[in-house]
Amino acid sequence: MDIDLIQISKNNNGSAAVAFMSYTNLSSILHPSLFNQTNDTVKTMMSAVISVTLPRTANQTLTTPVNFTMKHIAEIDPKGTLSCVYWKNTEWVEDGCSLLQTNNSHSVCSCVHLSTFALIMQTEALAGEDSDPVIDVLDTVAVAVGLVFLSLTLLTFALCHRNPRVTNTARINLCISLLLAHLLFLLTQKFLHNIRSQQLLCAVLAGMLHFFFLSAFVWMFIDAALLFISMKNLTKIRSNEKAGLLWKLLVVIGYAVPLFVVGVSAGVVPGGYGSERCWLKTGFLWSFLGPVAFILTANTILFICILIIIISTLTNMKSKSLKIKRPESEHRFIVSVALKTMIQFIILGCSWILGFFTQDSKALEIIFLFLNSQQGTFIFLVYCVLNQEVSHHRFYLSAMAN
């Protein structure tokens, strides 16, 4: 704070004092939405709330404006507008305050009077160019439907535990990670308006989302690797002592790897969590996109290898069926395997690759949202609903390890 206390003291018989206070929790009460300059924007508190008074000073007239340098508590949007405001009765107003200068971390405000001050940023409303109401509704509905089927899948696995296997364990943990990630994401976006102003809570939620989504991707990779092993060897991974040890090892890998990534990321860039969407800040996205890109590449390669094995095996089966004259039943089996193989592409998370290309295409964005919010639906369809339809085919049982 830069205040001309000497001049003020001259107006008060040579004596003057100033009290400066900073409130860390008051911004959640005096919400930035109470700044009503523009109605079609999102308002974000960009600083702590500060208060300045002249105690026991009769003449509080300021001969020169008071300047405040405030540290930003949120990430600046290049398209946003910063406003220096003070609290007047029941709202934030700008009267007598102006923004002198700003950079990525601090802003300087100037006011001609003393009061309770804050820095507020206005950005385009979410229903503007960066968001589509139809896509927002579709996203919410699709995620909710996916959550229902993830819950049904977990319930089915819990009730039908007569022959558990390592692959089922991987899918159970995949469903758990997806369920927690999508549920937390849905709740965070639903109450984003209230959460955004609480920086610590916003950062914690971003860290939890980072962990759960990374965990889901690690389990997708584990599922893809187990499926490839089953396809290549045409053998089941049975629930024996060796499988029990493998199960414990997979659980450690499935949760320790994302925890390690989140821990290192938070240690290297402590302020990387808590963007306007309560997600990772722009320069910190590498801590999520890097591991995800690696896993998607690996899963795509594994899926191509699995597809080659399936095509080769089905070709052999078709030639044998022609010799014994049973083409109809084998044709139905081939169609069933082909359908499940395409669905497996989504279950293994390969469809997340579309996320790198949705920026300029609404159609791709809708397809991306639908496919990846419905992973739980496809898992339920393949491993719960359609599981018994092909149980008499040794090839498919070996391929899917059911």
Short mmCIF file of all heavy atoms in Angstrom, two decimals, residues 193-240:
data_model
loop_
_atom_site.label_atom_id
_atom_site.label_comp_id
_atom_site.label_asym_id
_atom_site.label_seq_id
_atom_site.Cartn_x
_atom_site.Cartn_y
_atom_site.Cartn_z
N HIS A 193 -19.66 -22.39 -9.63
CA HIS A 193 -19.85 -20.99 -9.26
C HIS A 193 -19.51 -20.75 -7.79
O HIS A 193 -18.96 -19.71 -7.43
CB HIS A 193 -21.30 -20.59 -9.54
CG HIS A 193 -21.58 -19.14 -9.27
ND1 HIS A 193 -21.14 -18.14 -10.11
CD2 HIS A 193 -22.25 -18.53 -8.26
CE1 HIS A 193 -21.54 -16.97 -9.62
NE2 HIS A 193 -22.21 -17.18 -8.51
N ASN A 194 -19.83 -21.71 -6.93
CA ASN A 194 -19.56 -21.56 -5.50
C ASN A 194 -18.16 -21.99 -5.12
O ASN A 194 -17.56 -21.46 -4.18
CB ASN A 194 -20.57 -22.39 -4.68
CG ASN A 194 -22.00 -21.93 -4.90
OD1 ASN A 194 -22.26 -20.74 -4.98
ND2 ASN A 194 -22.93 -22.87 -5.00
N ILE A 195 -17.60 -22.95 -5.86
CA ILE A 195 -16.29 -23.50 -5.52
C ILE A 195 -15.17 -22.58 -5.99
O ILE A 195 -14.14 -22.46 -5.33
CB ILE A 195 -16.13 -24.90 -6.16
CG1 ILE A 195 -17.15 -25.87 -5.56
CG2 ILE A 195 -14.72 -25.44 -5.94
CD1 ILE A 195 -17.16 -27.23 -6.24
N ARG A 196 -15.37 -21.91 -7.13
CA ARG A 196 -14.29 -21.15 -7.76
C ARG A 196 -13.66 -20.12 -6.83
O ARG A 196 -12.45 -19.89 -6.87
CB ARG A 196 -14.82 -20.48 -9.02
CG ARG A 196 -13.75 -19.74 -9.81
CD ARG A 196 -14.38 -18.97 -10.96
NE ARG A 196 -14.80 -19.84 -12.03
CZ ARG A 196 -15.97 -19.76 -12.65
NH1 ARG A 196 -16.85 -18.86 -12.25
NH2 ARG A 196 -16.26 -20.58 -13.64
N SER A 197 -14.45 -19.49 -5.99
CA SER A 197 -13.93 -18.43 -5.12
C SER A 197 -13.12 -18.98 -3.95
O SER A 197 -12.39 -18.25 -3.30
CB SER A 197 -15.09 -17.58 -4.58
OG SER A 197 -15.99 -18.38 -3.83
N GLN A 198 -13.24 -20.28 -3.68
CA GLN A 198 -12.48 -20.91 -2.59
C GLN A 198 -11.28 -21.63 -3.19
O GLN A 198 -11.35 -22.79 -3.58
CB GLN A 198 -13.38 -21.87 -1.81
CG GLN A 198 -14.64 -21.19 -1.27
CD GLN A 198 -15.50 -22.15 -0.48
OE1 GLN A 198 -15.01 -22.96 0.29
NE2 GLN A 198 -16.81 -22.06 -0.68
N GLN A 199 -10.17 -20.92 -3.27
CA GLN A 199 -9.01 -21.38 -4.02
C GLN A 199 -8.45 -22.71 -3.51
O GLN A 199 -8.07 -23.57 -4.29
CB GLN A 199 -7.92 -20.31 -3.99
CG GLN A 199 -8.28 -19.07 -4.77
CD GLN A 199 -8.57 -19.38 -6.23
OE1 GLN A 199 -7.77 -20.01 -6.91
NE2 GLN A 199 -9.73 -18.94 -6.71
N LEU A 200 -8.39 -22.88 -2.20
CA LEU A 200 -7.84 -24.13 -1.65
C LEU A 200 -8.70 -25.32 -2.04
O LEU A 200 -8.19 -26.35 -2.49
CB LEU A 200 -7.72 -24.02 -0.13
CG LEU A 200 -7.17 -25.28 0.57
CD1 LEU A 200 -5.78 -25.62 0.05
CD2 LEU A 200 -7.14 -25.08 2.08
N LEU A 201 -10.02 -25.18 -1.87
CA LEU A 201 -10.94 -26.26 -2.24
C LEU A 201 -10.85 -26.54 -3.74
O LEU A 201 -10.84 -27.71 -4.16
CB LEU A 201 -12.36 -25.87 -1.86
CG LEU A 201 -13.47 -26.87 -2.26
CD1 LEU A 201 -13.23 -28.23 -1.62
CD2 LEU A 201 -14.85 -26.33 -1.88
N CYS A 202 -10.78 -25.49 -4.54
CA CYS A 202 -10.69 -25.64 -5.99
C CYS A 202 -9.42 -26.40 -6.37
O CYS A 202 -9.44 -27.30 -7.22
CB CYS A 202 -10.71 -24.27 -6.65
SG CYS A 202 -10.79 -24.30 -8.46
N ALA A 203 -8.31 -26.07 -5.73
CA ALA A 203 -7.03 -26.75 -6.02
C ALA A 203 -7.07 -28.21 -5.58
O ALA A 203 -6.56 -29.09 -6.28
CB ALA A 203 -5.89 -26.01 -5.33
N VAL A 204 -7.66 -28.48 -4.42
CA VAL A 204 -7.76 -29.86 -3.93
C VAL A 204 -8.61 -30.71 -4.87
O VAL A 204 -8.26 -31.85 -5.19
CB VAL A 204 -8.35 -29.88 -2.50
CG1 VAL A 204 -8.69 -31.31 -2.07
CG2 VAL A 204 -7.36 -29.28 -1.52
N LEU A 205 -9.75 -30.17 -5.32
CA LEU A 205 -10.61 -30.90 -6.25
C LEU A 205 -9.88 -31.16 -7.57
O LEU A 205 -10.02 -32.24 -8.16
CB LEU A 205 -11.89 -30.12 -6.50
CG LEU A 205 -12.87 -30.04 -5.32
CD1 LEU A 205 -14.04 -29.13 -5.66
CD2 LEU A 205 -13.38 -31.42 -4.95
N ALA A 206 -9.11 -30.18 -8.03
CA ALA A 206 -8.34 -30.37 -9.26
C ALA A 206 -7.32 -31.49 -9.09
O ALA A 206 -7.14 -32.31 -10.00
CB ALA A 206 -7.64 -29.06 -9.65
N GLY A 207 -6.67 -31.54 -7.93
CA GLY A 207 -5.72 -32.61 -7.66
C GLY A 207 -6.38 -33.97 -7.60
O GLY A 207 -5.83 -34.97 -8.11
N MET A 208 -7.56 -34.05 -7.01
CA MET A 208 -8.30 -35.32 -6.94
C MET A 208 -8.74 -35.77 -8.33
O MET A 208 -8.65 -36.95 -8.67
CB MET A 208 -9.50 -35.17 -6.01
CG MET A 208 -9.13 -34.95 -4.55
SD MET A 208 -10.57 -34.63 -3.49
CE MET A 208 -11.46 -36.19 -3.62
N LEU A 209 -9.22 -34.82 -9.14
CA LEU A 209 -9.61 -35.16 -10.52
C LEU A 209 -8.40 -35.65 -11.31
O LEU A 209 -8.50 -36.62 -12.08
CB LEU A 209 -10.21 -33.93 -11.21
CG LEU A 209 -11.65 -33.57 -10.82
CD1 LEU A 209 -12.02 -32.21 -11.40
CD2 LEU A 209 -12.63 -34.63 -11.32
N HIS A 210 -7.28 -34.99 -11.12
CA HIS A 210 -6.04 -35.40 -11.78
C HIS A 210 -5.71 -36.85 -11.42
O HIS A 210 -5.39 -37.67 -12.30
CB HIS A 210 -4.91 -34.46 -11.33
CG HIS A 210 -3.65 -34.62 -12.13
ND1 HIS A 210 -2.45 -34.08 -11.73
CD2 HIS A 210 -3.40 -35.26 -13.30
CE1 HIS A 210 -1.52 -34.37 -12.62
NE2 HIS A 210 -2.06 -35.09 -13.58
N PHE A 211 -5.80 -37.18 -10.13
CA PHE A 211 -5.47 -38.54 -9.68
C PHE A 211 -6.45 -39.58 -10.22
O PHE A 211 -6.04 -40.61 -10.76
CB PHE A 211 -5.47 -38.58 -8.15
CG PHE A 211 -5.36 -39.98 -7.59
CD1 PHE A 211 -4.15 -40.65 -7.58
CD2 PHE A 211 -6.49 -40.64 -7.10
CE1 PHE A 211 -4.05 -41.94 -7.08
CE2 PHE A 211 -6.40 -41.92 -6.60
CZ PHE A 211 -5.18 -42.58 -6.59
N PHE A 212 -7.75 -39.32 -10.11
CA PHE A 212 -8.75 -40.32 -10.52
C PHE A 212 -8.73 -40.58 -12.03
O PHE A 212 -8.83 -41.72 -12.47
CB PHE A 212 -10.15 -39.89 -10.07
CG PHE A 212 -10.38 -40.04 -8.60
CD1 PHE A 212 -10.94 -39.00 -7.85
CD2 PHE A 212 -10.05 -41.20 -7.93
CE1 PHE A 212 -11.15 -39.12 -6.49
CE2 PHE A 212 -10.25 -41.35 -6.57
CZ PHE A 212 -10.81 -40.30 -5.85
N PHE A 213 -8.59 -39.52 -12.83
CA PHE A 213 -8.54 -39.72 -14.27
C PHE A 213 -7.26 -40.44 -14.69
O PHE A 213 -7.29 -41.33 -15.55
CB PHE A 213 -8.67 -38.38 -15.01
CG PHE A 213 -10.09 -37.95 -15.24
CD1 PHE A 213 -10.61 -36.81 -14.64
CD2 PHE A 213 -10.92 -38.70 -16.06
CE1 PHE A 213 -11.92 -36.42 -14.85
CE2 PHE A 213 -12.24 -38.31 -16.28
CZ PHE A 213 -12.74 -37.17 -15.66
N LEU A 214 -6.13 -40.07 -14.07
CA LEU A 214 -4.89 -40.78 -14.38
C LEU A 214 -4.98 -42.24 -13.97
O LEU A 214 -4.52 -43.14 -14.68
CB LEU A 214 -3.71 -40.12 -13.67
CG LEU A 214 -3.12 -38.86 -14.31
CD1 LEU A 214 -1.92 -38.38 -13.51
CD2 LEU A 214 -2.70 -39.11 -15.75
N SER A 215 -5.60 -42.49 -12.81
CA SER A 215 -5.79 -43.86 -12.36
C SER A 215 -6.63 -44.66 -13.35
O SER A 215 -6.33 -45.82 -13.66
CB SER A 215 -6.45 -43.88 -10.97
OG SER A 215 -6.66 -45.19 -10.53
N ALA A 216 -7.68 -44.04 -13.88
CA ALA A 216 -8.53 -44.71 -14.87
C ALA A 216 -7.72 -45.08 -16.10
O ALA A 216 -7.85 -46.18 -16.65
CB ALA A 216 -9.70 -43.82 -15.24
N PHE A 217 -6.86 -44.17 -16.54
CA PHE A 217 -6.05 -44.45 -17.73
C PHE A 217 -5.03 -45.56 -17.47
O PHE A 217 -4.76 -46.38 -18.36
CB PHE A 217 -5.35 -43.18 -18.22
CG PHE A 217 -6.21 -42.32 -19.08
CD1 PHE A 217 -6.85 -41.21 -18.57
CD2 PHE A 217 -6.41 -42.64 -20.42
CE1 PHE A 217 -7.66 -40.41 -19.36
CE2 PHE A 217 -7.21 -41.85 -21.24
CZ PHE A 217 -7.84 -40.74 -20.71
N VAL A 218 -4.46 -45.58 -16.27
CA VAL A 218 -3.52 -46.66 -15.94
C VAL A 218 -4.24 -48.00 -15.96
O VAL A 218 -3.71 -49.00 -16.48
CB VAL A 218 -2.87 -46.40 -14.56
CG1 VAL A 218 -2.03 -47.61 -14.13
CG2 VAL A 218 -1.98 -45.16 -14.62
N TRP A 219 -5.46 -48.06 -15.44
CA TRP A 219 -6.22 -49.31 -15.44
C TRP A 219 -6.65 -49.69 -16.86
O TRP A 219 -6.77 -50.88 -17.18
CB TRP A 219 -7.44 -49.21 -14.52
CG TRP A 219 -7.07 -49.35 -13.08
CD1 TRP A 219 -7.10 -48.39 -12.11
CD2 TRP A 219 -6.59 -50.55 -12.44
NE1 TRP A 219 -6.67 -48.89 -10.91
CE2 TRP A 219 -6.36 -50.22 -11.08
CE3 TRP A 219 -6.34 -51.84 -12.87
CZ2 TRP A 219 -5.87 -51.15 -10.16
CZ3 TRP A 219 -5.86 -52.77 -11.96
CH2 TRP A 219 -5.64 -52.43 -10.63
N MET A 220 -6.89 -48.70 -17.72
CA MET A 220 -7.16 -49.01 -19.13
C MET A 220 -5.94 -49.70 -19.76
O MET A 220 -6.08 -50.66 -20.52
CB MET A 220 -7.48 -47.74 -19.91
CG MET A 220 -8.82 -47.09 -19.57
SD MET A 220 -9.01 -45.54 -20.50
CE MET A 220 -10.11 -44.64 -19.40
N PHE A 221 -4.76 -49.20 -19.43
CA PHE A 221 -3.54 -49.80 -19.97
C PHE A 221 -3.36 -51.22 -19.43
O PHE A 221 -3.00 -52.14 -20.19
CB PHE A 221 -2.33 -48.94 -19.61
CG PHE A 221 -1.02 -49.58 -19.96
CD1 PHE A 221 -0.60 -49.65 -21.28
CD2 PHE A 221 -0.22 -50.12 -18.98
CE1 PHE A 221 0.61 -50.24 -21.61
CE2 PHE A 221 0.99 -50.73 -19.30
CZ PHE A 221 1.40 -50.78 -20.62
N ILE A 222 -3.62 -51.41 -18.14
CA ILE A 222 -3.49 -52.74 -17.54
C ILE A 222 -4.48 -53.70 -18.21
O ILE A 222 -4.14 -54.85 -18.54
CB ILE A 222 -3.73 -52.66 -16.03
CG1 ILE A 222 -2.58 -51.91 -15.35
CG2 ILE A 222 -3.87 -54.06 -15.42
CD1 ILE A 222 -2.79 -51.65 -13.87
N ASP A 223 -5.72 -53.24 -18.42
CA ASP A 223 -6.73 -54.09 -19.06
C ASP A 223 -6.30 -54.45 -20.49
O ASP A 223 -6.46 -55.60 -20.93
CB ASP A 223 -8.07 -53.35 -19.07
CG ASP A 223 -9.23 -54.26 -19.48
OD1 ASP A 223 -9.10 -55.48 -19.28
OD2 ASP A 223 -10.23 -53.76 -19.98
N ALA A 224 -5.75 -53.47 -21.21
CA ALA A 224 -5.29 -53.73 -22.58
C ALA A 224 -4.14 -54.73 -22.59
O ALA A 224 -4.10 -55.64 -23.44
CB ALA A 224 -4.86 -52.42 -23.24
N ALA A 225 -3.21 -54.59 -21.65
CA ALA A 225 -2.08 -55.51 -21.58
C ALA A 225 -2.54 -56.93 -21.24
O ALA A 225 -2.08 -57.91 -21.86
CB ALA A 225 -1.07 -55.02 -20.54
N LEU A 226 -3.46 -57.07 -20.30
CA LEU A 226 -3.97 -58.40 -19.94
C LEU A 226 -4.75 -59.03 -21.09
O LEU A 226 -4.66 -60.24 -21.34
CB LEU A 226 -4.87 -58.29 -18.70
CG LEU A 226 -4.16 -57.92 -17.38
CD1 LEU A 226 -5.19 -57.73 -16.28
CD2 LEU A 226 -3.16 -58.99 -16.99
N LEU A 227 -5.51 -58.21 -21.79
CA LEU A 227 -6.27 -58.72 -22.94
C LEU A 227 -5.33 -59.20 -24.04
O LEU A 227 -5.55 -60.24 -24.66
CB LEU A 227 -7.20 -57.63 -23.46
CG LEU A 227 -8.11 -58.00 -24.64
CD1 LEU A 227 -8.98 -59.19 -24.29
CD2 LEU A 227 -8.96 -56.81 -25.04
N PHE A 228 -4.26 -58.44 -24.27
CA PHE A 228 -3.28 -58.84 -25.29
C PHE A 228 -2.61 -60.16 -24.92
O PHE A 228 -2.42 -61.03 -25.77
CB PHE A 228 -2.23 -57.74 -25.47
CG PHE A 228 -1.10 -58.13 -26.37
CD1 PHE A 228 -1.28 -58.20 -27.74
CD2 PHE A 228 0.15 -58.45 -25.84
CE1 PHE A 228 -0.24 -58.56 -28.58
CE2 PHE A 228 1.19 -58.81 -26.67
CZ PHE A 228 1.00 -58.87 -28.04
N ILE A 229 -2.25 -60.31 -23.63
CA ILE A 229 -1.63 -61.56 -23.18
C ILE A 229 -2.58 -62.73 -23.36
O ILE A 229 -2.20 -63.82 -23.83
CB ILE A 229 -1.21 -61.43 -21.70
CG1 ILE A 229 -0.09 -60.40 -21.55
CG2 ILE A 229 -0.76 -62.78 -21.14
CD1 ILE A 229 0.26 -60.06 -20.11
N SER A 230 -3.85 -62.53 -23.02
CA SER A 230 -4.84 -63.58 -23.19
C SER A 230 -5.02 -63.95 -24.65
O SER A 230 -5.13 -65.13 -25.00
CB SER A 230 -6.19 -63.13 -22.61
OG SER A 230 -6.08 -62.88 -21.22
N MET A 231 -5.05 -62.95 -25.51
CA MET A 231 -5.22 -63.20 -26.94
C MET A 231 -4.03 -63.93 -27.53
O MET A 231 -4.17 -64.85 -28.33
CB MET A 231 -5.42 -61.88 -27.67
CG MET A 231 -6.73 -61.19 -27.38
SD MET A 231 -8.12 -62.08 -28.05
CE MET A 231 -7.77 -61.98 -29.78
N LYS A 232 -2.84 -63.51 -27.12
CA LYS A 232 -1.63 -64.08 -27.70
C LYS A 232 -1.42 -65.53 -27.27
O LYS A 232 -1.02 -66.38 -28.06
CB LYS A 232 -0.41 -63.24 -27.30
CG LYS A 232 0.86 -63.63 -28.04
CD LYS A 232 1.96 -62.66 -27.73
CE LYS A 232 3.25 -63.05 -28.46
NZ LYS A 232 3.06 -63.09 -29.93
N ASN A 233 -1.73 -65.82 -26.02
CA ASN A 233 -1.52 -67.17 -25.49
C ASN A 233 -2.75 -68.05 -25.58
O ASN A 233 -2.66 -69.27 -25.40
CB ASN A 233 -1.05 -67.10 -24.04
CG ASN A 233 0.26 -66.36 -23.89
OD1 ASN A 233 1.10 -66.39 -24.78
ND2 ASN A 233 0.44 -65.68 -22.77
N LEU A 234 -3.92 -67.39 -25.82
CA LEU A 234 -5.20 -68.09 -25.82
C LEU A 234 -5.38 -68.92 -24.56
O LEU A 234 -5.81 -70.05 -24.57
CB LEU A 234 -5.31 -69.01 -27.05
CG LEU A 234 -5.45 -68.29 -28.39
CD1 LEU A 234 -5.56 -69.29 -29.52
CD2 LEU A 234 -6.64 -67.36 -28.39
N THR A 235 -5.02 -68.31 -23.43
CA THR A 235 -5.16 -68.98 -22.14
C THR A 235 -5.76 -68.01 -21.15
O THR A 235 -5.55 -66.80 -21.22
CB THR A 235 -3.81 -69.46 -21.58
OG1 THR A 235 -2.92 -68.34 -21.51
CG2 THR A 235 -3.21 -70.55 -22.48
N LYS A 236 -6.47 -68.53 -20.19
CA LYS A 236 -7.08 -67.71 -19.15
C LYS A 236 -6.08 -67.48 -18.02
O LYS A 236 -5.28 -68.35 -17.70
CB LYS A 236 -8.32 -68.39 -18.58
CG LYS A 236 -9.41 -68.64 -19.60
CD LYS A 236 -10.54 -69.40 -18.96
CE LYS A 236 -11.60 -69.78 -19.99
NZ LYS A 236 -12.69 -70.55 -19.40
N ILE A 237 -6.16 -66.30 -17.41
CA ILE A 237 -5.37 -66.03 -16.22
C ILE A 237 -6.25 -66.43 -15.03
O ILE A 237 -7.19 -65.72 -14.67
CB ILE A 237 -5.00 -64.54 -16.14
CG1 ILE A 237 -4.23 -64.13 -17.39
CG2 ILE A 237 -4.17 -64.26 -14.90
CD1 ILE A 237 -3.91 -62.66 -17.47
N ARG A 238 -5.95 -67.56 -14.44
CA ARG A 238 -6.87 -68.14 -13.46
C ARG A 238 -6.64 -67.59 -12.06
O ARG A 238 -5.60 -67.00 -11.76
CB ARG A 238 -6.74 -69.67 -13.45
CG ARG A 238 -7.08 -70.29 -14.80
CD ARG A 238 -7.07 -71.80 -14.73
NE ARG A 238 -7.40 -72.37 -16.02
CZ ARG A 238 -8.60 -72.52 -16.50
NH1 ARG A 238 -9.63 -72.12 -15.79
NH2 ARG A 238 -8.82 -73.05 -17.69
N SER A 239 -7.62 -67.82 -11.22
CA SER A 239 -7.58 -67.32 -9.84
C SER A 239 -6.84 -68.32 -8.96
O SER A 239 -7.42 -69.04 -8.16
CB SER A 239 -9.00 -67.09 -9.32
OG SER A 239 -8.96 -66.61 -8.01
N ASN A 240 -5.53 -68.42 -9.11
CA ASN A 240 -4.72 -69.28 -8.27
C ASN A 240 -3.77 -68.44 -7.45
O ASN A 240 -3.87 -67.21 -7.40
CB ASN A 240 -3.97 -70.32 -9.12
CG ASN A 240 -3.22 -69.64 -10.26
OD1 ASN A 240 -2.83 -68.47 -10.14
ND2 ASN A 240 -3.04 -70.36 -11.35
#
